[in-house]
Amino acid sequence: MFIPLFLTVLLLAGELHHPCLSAAETTTGIAQSAHDDGKGAEKGKKESSPAAETPAVTRHTITMKGKTLTYTATAGELPVQNDAGETEAQIFFVAYSVPNPSPTAKRPLLFIFNGGPGASSVWLHLGAVGPRIVRMLPDGRMPAPPFHLEDNDTTWLEWADLVFIDPVGTGYSRAAKADLAKKFATVQGDVDSLGRFIRLYLGRYERWGGPLFLAGESYGAFRSAGLSEYLLEHGIALNGIVLISSVMNMQPLSFDQGNDLPYPLFLPSYTATAWYHHKLAPQFQADLDKTLAQVESWAATEYTAALVQGDSLPAEKRREVADKLAEFTGLDAAFIANRNLRIDNRSFVRELLRDRQQMVGYLDSRFTAPDLEPSNPRGFDPAVAIIKPPYTDAFNRYIRTELGYKSDLEYFVLGGGIGHWDWEAKNSYADTSDNLRNSFAKNPYMKLFVAMGLFDLATPHFSSMYTLNHLGLTPALQKSISTHRYRAGHMIYLDSTSRGQLNRDVREFAHKALAENPR
């Protein structure tokens, strides 16, 4: 059985139990204090109180790059209605818009969501894209509590309006009735509900006729690929899609018996992790990019060929492959041989730093934590432990004190609101890459940008490239795809340097997409 990304991480870490999310992720706690810097009243003047579908609208300013950016924030809900007009769910969103100086040219609009499935949009919202972000340490580690927000000088709001969406079962978004919840915990139900939300938002807020983009992280990339064709079939064409730490096909991530595909695709990320923790021989520590090029070539050729041979692989060749894997991973050759030359990410994160009594993270393998139970096959993810408290605390204060939105519901940050997820894949692997391929064929103006972190052990960069290289596009359509690799983890933006680079890359991508297809 395959289990993806954030959900994979929590399952491997023992925080959740498949097939259902059992222990609710606690994100409650209404902040009673004022805004972090004491300027809550100045930064947002409340204009309305949220009730049902009445949004909270506030005005704000931030200073970025020495200039003042004035914007409007809207926090509220829109209904998900079926074809009969019956409301089946409410989807919560936070939108930001900047007054447009030109009445004839609309600003680009980005619809943004995270993944899981089961993760709210808080990660991209308060981590990279929105006008306010959680203050972390420069390398992305958690600062000492209490936690604070700060103005984001790399916000994408500088060049586009933003809509952060929480799919049903995440954030404040809920099904209208308990028995309807399972409808949205499916691949197609999820895509359909978000497609209906986007159509309704374009109408309610009069955004038809402007440039449109999607941005999705992790399973959000899976959603984006599916939505790209869904929206086209409903008359909505995209100018571009941004995928961050992406997955569109679950097979490259699934360490199942008989599925050897993940092992060579994860290997370069193991190498990058070993490099970061100084576990490689000097010749491989000297230049990471050069080492990764060598590893990727070997993984796609000799290693893949060895795995294909299975039990028929000659003993001498088996020892040779084990020794090479040891060089590229920092693991012991005997350990690798004992694992039949196949190292899954669960084994790797517990084994790499065993001599230091530490384990590395899944979402970001730069981060470590003491491994107090080395014999326990499950353990927590050091990366999740670092990000969860500050983002949970910051959002619960921000939404109330700065955006003026009040709710007694628990805001599901990561898990807690999604039960069993139906992948709708019988004897196969869930896959929306074919939807993306079809979208390129139907909309030749659409562009794609894919961002990948080298220290991501949930959605490895080599796995993302494998999927992109197997879309089956013509050479002309292949030119519509651009990629960039960052020395960061799954959440590329935790590292302040990478966050700035990501903003520049996405802004350049969007401007180029619009410049190549002038209206």
Side-chain angles (χ1 to χ4, degrees), residues 262-476:
Y263 301 103
L265 298 181
F266 272 72
L267 178 58
S269 296
Y270 296 162
T271 302
T273 302
W275 173 88
Y276 183 84
H277 294 287
H278 304 284
K279 298 291 287 186
L280 300 179
Q283 67 269 28
F284 298 124
Q285 284 287 156
D287 187 328
L288 177 59
D289 292 332
K290 182 179 179 180
T291 296
L292 286 179
Q294 181 178 348
V295 172
E296 289 168 7
S297 175
W298 184 80
T301 53
E302 292 184 49
Y303 184 34
T304 297
L307 295 178
V308 168
Q309 294 181 60
D311 294 342
S312 67
L313 185 68
E316 182 178 348
K317 184 64 177 179
R318 185 178 298 273
R319 286 191 296 271
E320 178 184 323
V321 171
D323 289 341
K324 183 64 72 173
L325 284 171
E327 290 183 347
F328 287 154
T329 63
L331 302 179
D332 184 74
F335 173 85
I336 293 170
N338 188 51
R339 294 298 192 279
N340 197 24
L341 309 180
R342 292 160 174 81
I343 308 300
D344 59 56
N345 57 357
R346 180 189 299 183
S347 300
F348 180 80
V349 300
R350 304 296 293 274
E351 189 66 23
L352 179 67
L353 302 182
R354 185 176 293 274
D355 59 333
R356 305 177 193 175
Q357 294 184 300
Q358 292 182 321
M359 55 185 174
V360 303
Y362 294 97
L363 292 183
D364 195 321
S365 60
R366 298 174 303 153
F367 301 151
T368 63
D371 191 357
L372 303 181
E373 298 181 277
S375 62
N376 187 343
R378 296 183 181 275
F380 68 91
D381 180 4
V384 173
I386 285 171
I387 62 177
K388 193 174 180 180
Y391 279 79
T392 300
D393 176 78
F395 181 86
N396 276 280
R397 282 184 292 143
Y398 175 64
I399 195 68
R400 292 164 171 80
T401 61
E402 293 192 41
L403 301 190
Y405 187 92
K406 312 290 184 181
S407 176
D408 291 330
L409 290 175
E410 178 178 358
Y411 187 84
F412 292 126
V413 172
L414 180 59
I418 298 289
H420 172 76
W421 190 267
D422 184 357
W423 293 99
E424 301 172 334
K426 307 302 181 184
N427 299 318
S428 183
Y429 293 95
D431 183 9
T432 56
S433 64
D434 57 338
N435 299 116
L436 183 66
R437 179 181 63 248
N438 295 340
S439 297
F440 275 118
K442 297 175 182 179
N443 176 13
Y445 302 107
M446 187 180 74
K447 307 298 181 183
L448 175 67
F449 175 76
V450 181
M452 300 166 283
L454 293 181
F455 307 115
D456 179 2
L457 296 183
T459 56
H461 67 276
F462 206 39
S463 174
S464 296
M465 289 305 304
Y466 176 88
T467 300
L468 293 176
N469 290 334
H470 288 78
L471 288 177
L473 301 179
T474 63

Side-chain angles (χ1 to χ4, degrees), residues 144-166:
F147 308 110
H148 302 279
L149 287 167
E150 60 187 7
D151 290 348
N152 182 9
D153 61 0
T154 61
T155 177
W156 301 7
L157 186 59
E158 180 184 17
W159 52 271
D161 291 345
L162 314 171
V163 183
F164 296 92
I165 307 171
D166 289 337

